[in-house]
Amino acid sequence: MRPLLFPLLLCFPLFALTQVQISGSTQTEGEALPFAEVMLLDMEGDLIKGDLSDAEGQFSLTTATGDYQLKISYLGYEDHQQILLLEQSVELGPIQMMEADNRLGEVTVRAQRRLIERQPDRLVFNVENSIAAKGGDALSALELAPGIRIQQDEISLIGRGGVGVMLNNRPLNLEGEELVALLRSLSADDLQKIEVISNPPAEYEAAGNAGLINIVMKKGRNNSWKNSTVVSNNLNNYNFSSINHTFLYQRNRLSLAASGNLVVGGNQETEWLDVFFPAGEWRMRMDGRSQRDSRSGRLSVDYELSPRFSLGGQLQATAGRPDYEGVAQTEVFNANAELDSLLINDMFSDRAANSYAYNVHFTLELDTMGRSMSMDADYFDYENDLLQRSTVNTFSPDKEFIGINLANENHSLQEVDNYSLKLDFTHPLGTTNWSYGGKLSFIETANDLAVFDRASGSLTLDPLQSNVFEYRENTQALYLNMARSLNDQLDMKVGLRFESTQTEGFSPTLGSQVNRRYQQLFPTFYLSYRPSESNQYTISYGRRINRPGFRNLNPFRVYVNSNAYSEGNPFLQPSFTDNIELSHTLNGWLTSNLFFNYTSDGYGTYFSSEEGTEIQAVLRDNFYEKTGIGLGEIVSLEPLPGWSSQSELYLFYSNSNFKPGFPGLPQNGWLLYLASSNTIKVGENSRVQLNLWYNSRHRSELFEVGAMYGLNVGFNQQFFNNKLQLSVMAQDIFNTGFLNSARSVVNGIVSDYGQNYSSRHLRFSLTYSFGNDDIQVRQRNFGNEEERGRSN
């Protein structure tokens, strides 16, 4: 740890530089006025520094102490001018711009964010500007975000590994198919943006090897209300439809967002696994229908009790019925490649997955100098109730019935409860901005599995396969951040997070208990250099932790047939990753990234097969350490009027070493990823979307993964002044964008796995929006002149 912190300590003498920060916002009639020209002049009127306010009207300038003139200009509005005598940083608050009396006529200025934006510590994908996301769900929107890949229910950054997922800055303590089910229940039309944070600051959770993904839901505009209804239909071998309604309202000090989403129908899921035993190949093919039925709702309310104190709450509820019905056929060959027998598994599952997320929060401004305090109290409740029935029959090559291989019925119940409390403080001190806080998190999960034998025709409890597993995880965290502008061109941010974790895994069935305690420091560092308005360089460092999921820790076996089972590992340890990233942004259209990561004590899932017994097992273990280095390029252009293009390229090399005694063969090599998203305006109200991507054949950790590529074509037509929109999206037209091969060698035996969950499909969606963007706002009297004159 010392070598990593030592370079940071060398930077502390630089804090003595006397720089001050001027910040504020531009408004008109209580609404944000975006992209106003903000100029800082000396007392003779010469320009010292200039910038534009952002899409929310916010602006910030850094300069040396002294006397200045501030001038703000906007077409059709009177200039705002004031004198600033700066001895320390100042927050000007909202600056009201007045309409000019001599303007030629009404001018409508429409500004739209880029589809992809680069910020100092994150990459932002603005979902609301994506045609391809219209009518989809949050999972499909994630697949469109730059640098994100989703395979086998795992969400990861290309070349960097798994990430933690947050919803409105709050962690979702789910993974795998549970996380995927929740994201599928959220409508993409409710999303504002997706933030990809490769090196999160210290105030964020340290979980996630490659960083965090923050999904941000839409909020209402000031003094307006809006209704939006989206109806969509997804066509594949099985079809599913959805309807989503969103209501946004903001007036005076009240802000409200409410939405509901209903999905009905199904999806085709195909999987295959080939195991090459010396005595003959086992070839499994599974095809089934997965239900997508779900209902979800969201309610968010915020109210300003005073100009300095706001209080709010959120509720997110989801009720899903992801039932499944399918057939898996395993062909067993002998050493002469002749078919020896067939195993046919008729599978059925009845599943209810419900989740509830509650939040209460407040924000308190402690003074006019920028000091503030915020608190979040959260409770997350998840329940997965599953009844699964399998009947595996053995047949001869000519399909004559030989006997029952396995007949069982599993009743399982998984319950997850998470309580957390988070406090955050901001404390400007001179020219340095300090922030600090802490968090308490308590997680309890219970897994109850009852397995019944059905071979006799009646249900008989099998105590040797039934299991109860309980897991508790408590984490206490403290963090400290320091941010400072060293001069007009150089900004720095340093953070340190401390986390202490206690875990307890207990299986009453096996009579085993595993307790662990560990403490870790997670430093972060950012240095941003702007030599000119056209160039910005950023170097960042962060250390992350990846804790095993609850399912991976459950030590009991679940059998698919008499020769195949899946087993968790209660002794799994968390892995740690160090990330270093150097980025350069040119004129806002080209972003280059050079990144390095090192993972220690890495864990994962692998296919283990035994010669002789021909037992196939899905196991989990800490078995590798990995070093990776990569280069990424993101280009945002408008090659021609009406043509907006965002393209990305990643080249990555990874090298893994396995721990002594692990029976697998490491796979090391290069990965090339190319993608381009293009929106073309073909009429005043018509746009076409073309998305292309390519993922090369590559080796990483234990697997050699086959090449994948895809072409998506979409069309969007607007009617009635954008109140009605029709969108059509053809996804993966050539049906080449699925996991076609993941080959591994364990115990000298080759296994090759693939899956296709309806990668090719066609989606139609119709969106109707209406509302009022000009609610008349009455002044409210709270016994204070400032409050009477303030409106939201």
Side-chain angles (χ1 to χ4, degrees), residues 477-527:
L478 295 171
Y479 77 88
L480 175 65
N481 272 331
M482 185 282 302
R484 181 183 175 96
S485 295
L486 305 178
N487 54 44
D488 291 347
Q489 299 175 324
L490 202 59
D491 296 323
M492 186 171 67
K493 186 174 183 179
V494 178
L496 186 64
R497 185 180 184 90
F498 170 77
E499 290 191 0
S500 177
T501 303
Q502 307 86 44
T503 68
E504 177 185 296
F506 176 57
S507 174
T509 306
L510 300 178
S512 64
Q513 180 167 319
V514 179
N515 297 327
R516 286 196 295 270
R517 305 286 186 272
Y518 51 91
Q519 296 83 34
Q520 283 287 329
L521 290 174
F522 300 94
T524 55
F525 172 71
Y526 308 86
L527 188 65

Side-chain angles (χ1 to χ4, degrees), residues 85-149:
L85 308 178
L86 298 177
E87 296 181 355
Q88 60 185 6
S89 296
V90 60
E91 166 60 53
L92 300 175
I95 295 174
Q96 298 294 329
M97 303 292 290
M98 306 302 295
E99 294 185 359
D101 293 332
N102 60 348
R103 64 188 188 279
L104 296 178
E106 183 175 353
V107 177
T108 301
V109 179
R110 293 183 179 178
Q112 179 171 291
R113 291 181 180 272
R114 291 178 179 270
L115 184 64
I116 300 172
E117 293 181 311
R118 179 72 194 188
Q119 296 182 4
D121 61 351
R122 68 197 62 192
L123 203 62
V124 180
F125 173 60
N126 291 302
V127 180
E128 56 189 349
N129 293 345
S130 172
I131 294 175
K134 295 288 184 183
D137 54 40
L139 187 69
S140 63
L142 274 178
E143 292 178 318
L144 297 171
I148 295 178
R149 299 298 296 151

Side-chain angles (χ1 to χ4, degrees), residues 285-553:
R285 297 293 182 270
M286 182 173 70
D287 185 76
R289 173 189 172 100
S290 175
Q291 286 296 111
R292 295 285 298 273
D293 297 354
S294 69
R295 305 180 305 278
S296 64
R298 178 175 71 101
L299 177 63
S300 173
V301 180
D302 286 273
Y303 189 78
E304 287 192 1
L305 296 173
S306 76
R308 293 186 180 179
F309 182 68
S310 63
L311 179 67
Q314 296 186 48
L315 168 64
Q316 175 82 43
T318 300
R321 295 303 304 245
D323 300 342
Y324 179 85
E325 187 172 5
V327 176
Q329 177 173 293
T330 302
E331 297 175 320
V332 182
F333 293 86
N334 59 31
N336 296 320
E338 299 170 336
L339 184 62
D340 185 72
S341 61
L342 293 172
L343 299 175
I344 298 179
N345 185 356
D346 291 311
M347 298 174 294
F348 169 80
S349 66
D350 182 4
R351 180 179 174 194
N354 304 319
S355 67
Y356 303 90
Y358 306 87
N359 168 264
V360 176
H361 58 270
F362 74 80
T363 301
L364 175 64
E365 296 180 14
L366 301 175
D367 55 29
T368 59
M369 302 304 296
R371 291 195 300 166
S372 65
M373 169 187 175
S374 64
M375 184 276 291
D376 280 276
D378 290 272
Y379 171 62
F380 178 72
D381 174 37
Y382 176 81
E383 183 177 288
N384 180 16
D385 192 353
L386 174 66
L387 183 151
Q388 189 173 40
R389 187 179 299 120
S390 294
T391 303
V392 184
N393 292 318
T394 304
F395 294 87
S396 66
D398 55 3
K399 293 195 175 181
E400 291 184 3
F401 177 72
I402 296 176
I404 297 176
N405 178 275
L406 179 72
N408 63 20
E409 184 170 299
N410 300 340
H411 296 247
S412 67
L413 177 64
Q414 180 190 38
E415 296 177 308
V416 179
D417 293 284
N418 174 218
Y419 305 84
S420 66
L421 178 66
K422 186 173 183 284
L423 286 173
D424 298 281
F425 298 86
T426 58
H427 192 150
L429 190 61
T431 58
T432 303
N433 290 321
W434 295 88
S435 60
Y436 49 89
K439 181 177 181 179
L440 300 175
S441 176
F442 307 93
I443 299 175
E444 295 184 3
T445 177
N447 300 269
D448 190 349
L449 172 65
V451 178
F452 297 88
D453 192 322
R454 299 173 46 247
S456 63
S458 60
L459 296 181
T460 304
L461 180 66
D462 186 345
L464 297 179
Q465 294 193 50
S466 301
N467 172 40
V468 174
F469 180 67
E470 299 172 357
Y471 178 79
R472 295 180 178 86
E473 180 179 288
N474 300 331
T475 301
Q476 305 84 43
L478 295 171
Y479 77 88
L480 175 65
N481 272 331
M482 185 282 302
R484 181 183 175 96
S485 295
L486 305 178
N487 54 44
D488 291 347
Q489 299 175 324
L490 202 59
D491 296 323
M492 186 171 67
K493 186 174 183 179
V494 178
L496 186 64
R497 185 180 184 90
F498 170 77
E499 290 191 0
S500 177
T501 303
Q502 307 86 44
T503 68
E504 177 185 296
F506 176 57
S507 174
T509 306
L510 300 178
S512 64
Q513 180 167 319
V514 179
N515 297 327
R516 286 196 295 270
R517 305 286 186 272
Y518 51 91
Q519 296 83 34
Q520 283 287 329
L521 290 174
F522 300 94
T524 55
F525 172 71
Y526 308 86
L527 188 65
S528 179
Y529 174 57
R530 296 180 301 276
S532 66
E533 292 185 1
S534 303
N535 292 276
Q536 179 177 346
Y537 297 88
T538 304
I539 185 170
S540 63
Y541 164 76
R543 180 172 171 81
R544 312 291 300 165
I545 184 174
N546 193 26
R547 298 183 177 92
F550 313 131
R551 176 180 298 180
N552 291 333
L553 294 165

Side-chain angles (χ1 to χ4, degrees), residues 221-261:
R221 292 180 53 194
N222 287 341
N223 303 319
S224 69
W225 63 271
K226 180 181 180 181
N227 271 292
S228 179
T229 301
V230 183
V231 179
S232 70
N233 188 33
N234 288 256
L235 305 178
N236 52 71
N237 284 4
Y238 305 111
N239 304 327
F240 66 91
S241 303
S242 66
I243 181 170
N244 172 266
H245 184 79
T246 302
F247 175 69
L248 304 174
Y249 176 88
Q250 187 162 347
R251 181 182 181 186
N252 292 323
R253 293 170 171 82
L254 175 65
S255 176
L256 184 146
S259 66
N261 190 51

Side-chain angles (χ1 to χ4, degrees), residues 491-635:
D491 296 323
M492 186 171 67
K493 186 174 183 179
V494 178
L496 186 64
R497 185 180 184 90
F498 170 77
E499 290 191 0
S500 177
T501 303
Q502 307 86 44
T503 68
E504 177 185 296
F506 176 57
S507 174
T509 306
L510 300 178
S512 64
Q513 180 167 319
V514 179
N515 297 327
R516 286 196 295 270
R517 305 286 186 272
Y518 51 91
Q519 296 83 34
Q520 283 287 329
L521 290 174
F522 300 94
T524 55
F525 172 71
Y526 308 86
L527 188 65
S528 179
Y529 174 57
R530 296 180 301 276
S532 66
E533 292 185 1
S534 303
N535 292 276
Q536 179 177 346
Y537 297 88
T538 304
I539 185 170
S540 63
Y541 164 76
R543 180 172 171 81
R544 312 291 300 165
I545 184 174
N546 193 26
R547 298 183 177 92
F550 313 131
R551 176 180 298 180
N552 291 333
L553 294 165
N554 191 337
F556 220 76
R557 294 181 177 181
V558 177
Y559 280 84
V560 179
N561 58 53
S562 60
N563 282 66
Y565 64 88
S566 175
E567 181 180 67
N569 182 0
F571 297 99
L572 279 180
Q573 298 291 324
S575 64
F576 297 90
T577 299
D578 294 278
N579 298 304
I580 299 175
E581 182 173 346
L582 174 64
S583 67
H584 170 238
T585 301
L586 175 64
N587 288 325
W589 64 269
L590 175 63
T591 298
S592 304
N593 297 282
L594 180 64
F595 54 91
F596 169 85
N597 52 60
Y598 171 74
T599 299
S600 60
D601 215 12
Y603 66 86
T605 300
Y606 63 96
F607 298 99
S608 176
S609 302
E610 298 180 6
E611 183 180 354
T613 63
E614 297 183 335
I615 295 294
Q616 306 161 43
V618 180
L619 305 175
R620 287 89 175 165
D621 202 355
N622 296 87
F623 62 88
Y624 70 89
E625 62 178 24
K626 184 173 72 171
T627 302
I629 186 169
L631 173 67
E633 299 283 347
I634 300 176
V635 182

